[in-house]
Amino acid sequence: MPANFLHSESLPAPPRIPRVLAIAGSDPSGGAGIQADLKSIAANGGYGMAAITALTAQNTQGVRAVHVPPAAFLTAQLDAISDDIGIDAVKIGMLGDAAVIDAVRGWLEKVRPAVVVLDPVMVATSGDRLLQESAEAALQALLPLADLITPNLAELAILLKEPVAADWAEALAQGKRLAALTGTTVLVKGGHLQGSEPGDADAAAGNDAAAGCPDALVNTGGLLGQETVVVPGERIATRNSHGTGCSLSSAMATVQARVGDWEAALREVKPWLLGALREASVLDVGTGNGPVHHFHHLQQLTDGQCRPAGHGPAAGEFAAALRAGATGDLEAIYALDFVRGLADGSLPEHEFAYYLAQDAIYLNGYSRVLARAAAIAPTEAEQLFWARSAQTCLEVESELHRSWLSTRPTDSTLGPVTKSYVDHLLAASVSGSYGVLVAAALPCFWLYAEVGSTLHREFLAGGAPGEHPYADWLKTYADEDFAAATRQAIAYTDTAARRASESEREAMALAFRQSSRYEVDFFDAPRLYA
């Protein structure tokens, strides 16, 4: 990749923290409702606000009583917030009765927030009824105003007036019927299915839901070219699942406000929620169905600071390990005849031409991989960085054809090493893991930048630059903008590793090592195939 790959002025400013309003009932035990919403919003990087629709008397053993304040007071809360504060996303939970639902609907029609997630809270995990049956018609009228609806299986059945789905295939079918009825996207959740298996609907959608606890985004408009996107997940054996639905929906609203992509949001939220369930027993709250651990990914240190929980790496530690592991590949690159010849000017021109032609082909595929990274990146800053990188890849490819390849006889056939390298990157791009994807893409920044800077230093030390056939090419390696972009790519990869599980970090390290090996092979390919 040429060193003028990315200009530093294109690096984005820090993203704004999403301002997320939760409209829901209160849970005095802290595990569900508004209390869970605010924890989820904060845990996923948002600023939480709350408008209370109902007061409950409940604990981990169940709901004892529900009090619904006058709907006019809810309207006053909503107006007070939206008159003063910009709202990036809204999560709607327990609404209580028809008057409250009508008040929320009227406010939504007036304010029209950009992101609306509706969790149609009708039946609690404990089985307690939380919405009056007389209010169901009003709730049906509210559904089309949502961008995403997140019912549990019992609520999905009630909304359709059908029996509760007995298996995953029927749950997906019900999700499709509700999506068609409302004209919006439905999140079908497999958490209440025992021993969920992928059904025929998965195969039809081209997705493989792993046995366990899958979730699916279903719509009628072709989400990302599909009607159904299934995200598999692990089933966590725990009695502490109080507030899971509230936490999931408010987290989805928050992350969607950051990333603007429902699939990317679900792929970020689902691992977080699995961790919250897995670590729930640490809280030791109540004797019944306890709450999930919203802040499991943070641990308090003795100095009062926080960092990712478990035994994850500190800042910079993962990146340092990657660089140490790439030492052998860099030494191998420096020892190649191609690189030595490029440095001293003795490289045959037909080998250099082959290299540039393969680089142009590679950049086309690499741009698609970076575009995918932009689509699933967890922050706006990362989205912009990878998207601009993808665009610049295409611009560099075009410049190669204009300035060099069009003026010389060059074989532009896809080479075997180029194909293998791009196939490896494309496989990483469909893995579903943002961390694995950026780790696989990183060597094209990092190793290329290090090799380029070394070649440029040797070029300057060699003297007589006018006699060097590749002088103009080597000068591009002095570009500080590419070095800055490389530092940013390293930082984003390191941050992704700190957010990842141990198994995902292992997969990231493997993807990086494989790409590093392909970098060696790519530099050596002209000797073998030119």
Side-chain angles (χ1 to χ4, degrees), residues 311-477:
H311 301 285
E317 184 178 332
F318 184 79
L322 292 183
R323 176 58 183 82
T327 299
D329 294 313
L330 281 168
E331 292 175 350
I333 290 173
Y334 293 137
L336 293 175
D337 292 340
F338 175 88
V339 171
R340 302 318 315 157
L342 185 60
D344 63 21
S346 64
L347 180 70
E349 183 172 310
H350 73 279
E351 291 191 19
F352 187 60
Y354 178 88
Y355 169 78
L356 291 186
Q358 294 304 306
D359 199 30
I361 297 170
Y362 171 86
L363 287 172
N364 185 280
Y366 193 58
S367 70
R368 286 179 283 155
V369 172
L370 297 183
R372 178 59 179 164
I376 65 175
T379 69
E380 183 181 0
E382 288 164 279
Q383 290 177 60
L384 290 171
F385 176 81
W386 299 118
R388 288 168 178 167
S389 299
Q391 178 183 350
T392 309
C393 271
L394 297 178
E395 293 172 352
V396 169
E397 178 196 9
S398 176
E399 176 62 20
L400 281 174
H401 284 288
R402 187 190 67 79
S403 64
W404 182 278
L405 299 176
S406 63
T407 63
R408 293 167 175 81
T410 306
D411 182 6
S412 59
T413 304
L414 174 65
V417 174
T418 307
K419 182 181 186 304
S420 296
Y421 195 177
V422 172
D423 285 350
H424 160 65
L425 294 172
L426 291 175
S429 76
V430 298
S431 68
S433 166
Y434 170 72
V436 169
L437 173 52
V438 297
L442 183 59
C444 190
F445 279 92
W446 202 348
L447 271 63
Y448 210 97
E450 291 209 17
V451 171
S453 63
T454 299
L455 290 178
H456 183 255
R457 286 195 302 271
E458 293 188 6
F459 162 70
L460 292 178
E467 300 175 7
H468 198 299
Y470 309 117
D472 291 341
W473 181 262
L474 293 176
K475 287 177 183 177
T476 65
Y477 285 121

